[in-house]
Amino acid sequence: MGEAPPFSRLNQPIDAARMEAWTTTVGPMWWSHDLGDWRLIGLDSALMASGLAEEEAQLAFLRDQLASRGPRQAMVFMHMPPFETDAKDERPTTSCVPHPARRALLETCRDAGVKVIACGHLHVYRRIRYQGMGIVWAPPTAMVHFERQWRKWRRWSRPGYLVWTLDGGTIRHDLVEPRMMIAQDTSRWTDVGGTTTNMPPRPLRRHIAQPA
């Protein structure tokens, strides 16, 4: 549904038209669901640092849902991770929640005792602890930028998914990497188009190796 306008790299900023298309076709931009001893909360990371009124409405929703959950444990789902390696990194980014919105998100979750933030976006499986919270990145289901991952993480991601198990007040996840799931290297595609969300410009002739 777009990106926060000050941090948009694809010329697709989140706006009223895209939000209406999303809510009409898919459903709410943020949500909450109680499951046993847990309250699961979904947030739209595209709103964070957007400066739109919906950004404040979503943050108010998060605070209300955390405050009203009673004895339930809380888990938050969102697409972008809160940060990559340093929560205080103020550099502009499209890889994680931009710094202007990150502090409020993390402090709200920390102060309310959120147990886990589940995220993705970077196509790599990671687990860290931050101020008492677990932050878990889901792996990709197909596309992997092998060159970038090797430079950044010194490893490659296998495609897969996470299975979360909520058992009373405890929580765990299992990383599943099916043997028949294929990883597609997007390194060259990204080099040509700048992103995997767009097809390369046409004609394609200059991008195809010609016989000698």
Side-chain angles (χ1 to χ4, degrees):
M1 62 186 303
E3 300 174 303
F7 301 91
S8 178
R9 63 194 166 100
L10 305 177
N11 195 29
Q12 297 175 3
I14 187 172
D15 56 21
R18 289 190 170 93
M19 287 189 286
E20 182 180 4
W22 178 273
T23 55
T24 301
T25 306
V26 180
M29 291 186 291
W30 53 81
W31 52 265
S32 175
H33 179 69
D34 291 338
L35 184 64
D37 296 319
W38 288 81
R39 173 160 290 181
L40 312 180
I41 302 171
L43 302 178
D44 187 346
S45 56
L47 283 171
M48 298 174 185
S50 68
L52 300 173
E54 287 80 3
E55 178 184 2
E56 289 300 319
Q58 178 174 248
L59 184 58
F61 171 83
L62 172 63
R63 289 169 173 162
D64 176 72
Q65 291 299 307
L66 291 173
S68 64
R69 75 184 191 272
R72 294 185 182 92
Q73 304 281 14
M75 180 179 184
V76 171
F77 292 87
M78 51 194 288
H79 179 69
M80 282 188 170
F83 58 91
E84 283 196 79
T85 57
D86 181 4
K88 297 181 180 180
D89 187 350
E90 298 184 12
R91 290 175 296 178
T93 180
T94 58
S95 297
C96 56
V97 174
H99 189 265
R102 186 184 308 153
R103 180 175 178 178
L105 170 71
L106 288 173
E107 289 183 354
T108 297
C109 290
R110 179 201 63 197
D111 294 348
V114 168
K115 291 297 182 182
V116 178
I117 297 176
C119 54
H121 185 55
L122 296 182
H123 289 212
V124 62
Y125 170 63
R126 293 180 67 207
R127 299 176 298 169
I128 67 169
R129 299 287 300 176
Y130 177 78
Q131 297 187 357
M133 296 182 291
I135 303 178
V136 182
W137 285 253
T141 54
M143 295 182 175
V144 180
H145 193 306
F146 285 98
E147 294 177 6
R148 181 181 299 163
Q149 287 207 353
W150 182 252
R151 289 195 304 267
K152 184 173 289 188
W153 312 113
R154 288 300 176 191
R155 60 189 176 93
W156 295 306
S157 290
R158 294 194 185 103
Y161 57 90
L162 301 181
V163 175
W164 290 94
T165 301
L166 310 178
D167 183 8
T170 63
I171 185 172
R172 67 177 177 84
H173 72 274
D174 295 298
L175 172 63
V176 182
E177 297 176 324
R179 296 182 64 184
M180 298 300 290
M181 260 183 141
I182 298 174
Q184 298 170 311
D185 182 11
T186 63
S187 304
R188 300 295 177 87
W189 184 1
T190 304
D191 289 344
V192 171
T195 171
T196 58
T197 64
N198 293 330
M199 293 296 290
R202 295 180 179 254
L204 297 176
R205 184 177 302 277
R206 67 187 181 89
H207 304 301
I208 301 175
Q210 301 297 314

